[in-house]
Amino acid sequence: MTAELTTEPDAKNPPGAPTTRRGRRPSRGSGDGQARTAALYLAPAGILLVAVMAYPLYQLVQLSLYEYGQAQASGGAPLEFLGLGNYTALLGDGRFWMVLLNTCGFAAVCVLGSLAVGIVLAVLASRVRWLPRTLLFLAALGAWATPAVAGSTVWLFLFDQDFGLVNEVLSGLGWQSMSGFSWTYDRFTAFALVAGEVVWCSFPFVMVTMYAGIKAVPNEIVEAASLDGASAWRTTRSVLLPMLRPLLVIATIQSIIWDFKIFTQIYVMTDGGGIAGQNLVLNVYAYQEAFAGSNYGMGSAIGVVMTVLLLVITVIYLRVQRGTGEST
Amino acid sequence: MTIAARGPKRGVTGRVLPGKRPGRTLAEIATVLVAAAIAFPLYWMVLTAFKPAGQIQSTDPRPWTLSPTLENFRQVFTVDNFGRYFLNSVLVAGVVVLVSLVLSFLAAVALTRFRFRGRTVLLVMILVAQMVPVEALTIPLFFLMRSVGSVAPWFGLNHLGSLVLVHLAFSLPFAIWMLRGFVAAVPAELEEAATLDGAGRFRFTWQVLFPLVAPGLVAMSVLSFIHAWNDFLFAKTFIISATENQTLPLAILVFFKPTGNDWGAIMAGSTLMTIPVLVFFVFVQRHLVSGIAGAVKA
């Protein structure tokens, strides 16, 4: 990737050739013209990204430094600069730490779950014939296509206290205490239920990605390894896995990004964060603080914390991957 | 289905590789069972949508029904303004897909085929933009849309335009990143040939490049469609008082009631909400898989 990113070396320019202002000659066309066309092509997307992403990001940080409640939002009271006040209040609040723990634990379970299921099924898919593989892919595409709200509702219904199939089957199998069991009442079963739904709808991305990766490994390499007497496990570990690593990195990062900021499933399945907020994650917490509690400054501080955490996790993960010696 | 179009892995001799045979039947049975388990929630959703109320609110749920009914769907459309919400969702997701198709294509072309100063910086910024948890921006975006509303009402709070703007911006970084690989894969010779034939950069972009990167565009459009179609948070935050401008995900929640959830209506609504995405997926699955594989490899 890095090779692709570097601009063409100037050595290619024949001496004396007309150069642009910046002393670089592009591969084709006049330099200024090319830069101008590029700017033109990039402008619409760039303007949108600056207006709806970069500027709000800046605003988020700014809002987090103010006391910004209902009165300020409606213009009834002057803004009060708090500096890091919101952050110290947040870090001193036991609830924040619980929510942070919830978020990290929940995201970790979801990421590991989707990776494990996705990878296992990708390997399985690469080893079976056309019909079972097609059925598996159709089912996975179906789960993938299901909108988050629809997936949440059907999982809720399957695990419904009174009319759910799962309780009925479990108690039918002799586990009597499951009859009328409320999955959303307890903190951990509620999280487990949501995690189940999240893994269900997010493993397909991992599976498709890894399957594409496995298929891209030339048959000859696997054959050569097995001719050399390598076991299936050894081939997987020493030949396939290193070749799949870049894809694995992408799948993992995507999963971290998605699962760390899940909103819909938690909100719908635990009715806005669970009983007494036991199932809150950072994202839902920020929403509740801001829009239910009219504390926009505090909500923004939570948003900043979330953004920073996500960036840090991603960077650390990339570092670790790079540190192990393989390209990313 | 192309993702599954290959036979068993064979060696150069055409013989099935040793070590594959014995476990395969077992693996195939397992695969089918897993597929059934994965598809089950969808099956249950559709089945429930067609069940009469008595069978849904039963403590003895059965995985079939002998008396399918459309009552739940009728309920959804009469009790709530469901048709309108459906159209709103289609409108938002449709506009997002079409516009992001053009914008991300243009940006991807500029970033891959043009050399200019700051290109690397831009690429890195787009990569970083993908990591921004856009949900965290809900609060500033709420205030932004509120002020936009006083200038351009269509893009302000309570209007679908606000959702379009937000989803458009959020789908762009990944779309651009994804398309880059496809655009870069088009050989430079083609561009030279087109130039020799007298095609300008503009014509080359639209008449040669655009059709060539179609698989990437298709994959990209599915992902932005799903993004916009699934959105719950922004619809919930932006569309506060103008209920006629709500989108589907919120419409379904109407049937969750403290007095008892109307599961028939909820499942019928969820089914209706899933169908467009499923149809989209079935049509483009081939491109989706190759598109993601292509983007991931790039």
Side-chain angles (χ1 to χ4, degrees), chain A residues 297-315:
Chain A
M298 184 60 90
S300 300
I302 301 169
V304 171
V305 170
M306 192 163 97
T307 310
V308 171
L309 265 175
L310 196 55
L311 288 177
V312 168
I313 294 174
T314 313
V315 169

Side-chain angles (χ1 to χ4, degrees), chain A residues 129-130 133 153 168 200 247, chain B residues 4 6 28 38 59 270 296:
Chain A
R129 274 171 295 188
W130 181 80
R133 179 166 51 215
T153 61
E168 190 55 35
W200 176 71
L247 290 185
Chain B
R6 278 208 221 159
E28 288 181 341
I38 293 166
T59 47
S270 297
V296 162

Side-chain angles (χ1 to χ4, degrees), chain A residues 101-120:
Chain A
L101 196 71
N102 279 352
T103 312
C104 294
F106 176 72
V109 168
C110 292
V111 169
L112 292 176
S114 359
L115 284 176
V117 175
I119 292 169
V120 167

Side-chain angles (χ1 to χ4, degrees), chain A residues 10-175:
Chain A
D10 280 346
K12 269 191 186 168
N13 295 340
T19 51
T20 64
R21 264 185 297 149
R22 299 181 188 104
R24 253 170 221 265
R25 219 179 76 100
S27 56
R28 181 191 163 213
S30 78
D32 277 346
Q34 198 166 42
R36 211 174 297 132
T37 323
L40 213 63
Y41 281 16
L42 283 166
I47 291 170
L48 248 164
L49 283 173
V50 168
V52 185
M53 199 180 269
Y55 176 68
L57 199 58
Y58 161 73
Q59 283 260 292
L60 181 76
V61 177
Q62 209 178 29
L63 274 171
S64 76
L65 302 174
Y66 283 90
E67 163 81 41
Y68 203 84
Q70 194 52 53
Q72 285 83 4
S74 57
L79 279 176
E80 194 193 329
F81 185 74
L82 292 180
L84 295 176
N86 282 325
Y87 294 94
T88 46
L90 196 62
L91 300 183
D93 185 359
R95 168 160 239 186
F96 166 76
W97 295 101
M98 187 202 82
V99 174
L100 184 65
L101 196 71
N102 279 352
T103 312
C104 294
F106 176 72
V109 168
C110 292
V111 169
L112 292 176
S114 359
L115 284 176
V117 175
I119 292 169
V120 167
L121 292 187
V123 172
L124 197 61
S126 70
R127 296 187 165 204
V128 296
R129 274 171 295 188
W130 181 80
L131 187 64
R133 179 166 51 215
T134 306
L135 290 175
L136 180 63
F137 269 94
L138 280 178
L141 286 182
W144 195 358
T146 308
V149 167
S152 302
T153 61
V154 71
W155 274 69
L156 263 187
F157 183 50
L158 277 168
F159 285 80
D160 186 68
Q161 186 171 357
D162 302 314
F163 312 119
L165 182 68
V166 173
N167 281 355
E168 190 55 35
V169 168
L170 288 178
S171 63
L173 289 173
W175 196 352

Side-chain angles (χ1 to χ4, degrees), chain A residues 151-307:
Chain A
S152 302
T153 61
V154 71
W155 274 69
L156 263 187
F157 183 50
L158 277 168
F159 285 80
D160 186 68
Q161 186 171 357
D162 302 314
F163 312 119
L165 182 68
V166 173
N167 281 355
E168 190 55 35
V169 168
L170 288 178
S171 63
L173 289 173
W175 196 352
Q176 289 305 330
S177 61
M178 293 312 285
S179 172
F181 179 79
S182 171
W183 289 84
T184 49
Y185 186 75
D186 178 72
R187 180 171 168 220
F188 288 103
T189 54
F191 265 130
L193 178 59
V194 182
E197 199 279 338
V198 170
V199 170
W200 176 71
C201 68
S202 52
F203 86 85
F205 172 79
V206 180
M207 183 180 109
V208 167
T209 310
M210 297 315 289
Y211 181 78
I214 292 172
K215 281 284 125 181
V217 173
N219 260 347
E220 293 71 34
I221 295 184
V222 180
E223 255 176 70
S226 79
L227 282 180
D228 285 347
S231 65
W233 166 242
R234 184 72 209 269
T235 313
T236 309
R237 207 170 53 96
S238 312
V239 180
L240 282 179
L241 219 55
M243 299 189 80
L244 293 178
R245 175 169 253 147
L247 290 185
L248 208 54
V249 171
I250 289 169
T252 310
I253 291 181
Q254 283 295 344
S255 302
I256 292 173
I257 294 175
W258 284 332
D259 296 346
F260 197 78
K261 54 179 198 182
I262 279 173
F263 179 86
T264 309
Q265 280 95 340
I266 293 269
Y267 196 92
V268 172
M269 294 178 82
T270 70
D271 198 15
I275 296 154
Q278 62 179 8
N279 294 111
L280 283 174
V281 289
L282 282 177
N283 210 347
V284 185
Y285 189 36
Y287 177 87
Q288 299 286 26
E289 274 292 323
F291 296 104
S294 287
N295 196 348
Y296 302 102
M298 184 60 90
S300 300
I302 301 169
V304 171
V305 170
M306 192 163 97
T307 310

Side-chain angles (χ1 to χ4, degrees), chain B residues 263-280:
Chain B
W263 286 113
I266 295 169
M267 291 299 112
S270 297
T271 303
L272 287 169
M273 184 184 179
T274 308
I275 288 171
V277 194
L278 268 182
V279 170
F280 209 168

Side-chain angles (χ1 to χ4, degrees), chain B residues 125-190:
Chain B
M125 278 170 68
I126 284 171
L127 199 60
V128 172
Q130 282 183 65
M131 291 171 193
V132 173
V134 289
E135 289 81 357
L137 302 180
T138 317
I139 300 165
L141 281 169
F142 173 79
F143 291 114
L144 178 70
M145 293 314 170
R146 200 177 63 168
S147 25
V148 166
S150 57
V151 189
W154 269 95
F155 295 103
L157 289 185
N158 286 322
H159 287 281
L160 294 177
S162 61
L163 297 178
V164 169
L165 281 185
V166 168
H167 297 313
L168 204 52
F170 295 165
S171 67
L172 278 177
F174 186 69
I176 294 171
W177 198 256
M178 192 165 183
L179 284 179
R180 253 184 77 242
F182 285 89
V183 177
V186 175
E189 290 77 42
L190 217 58

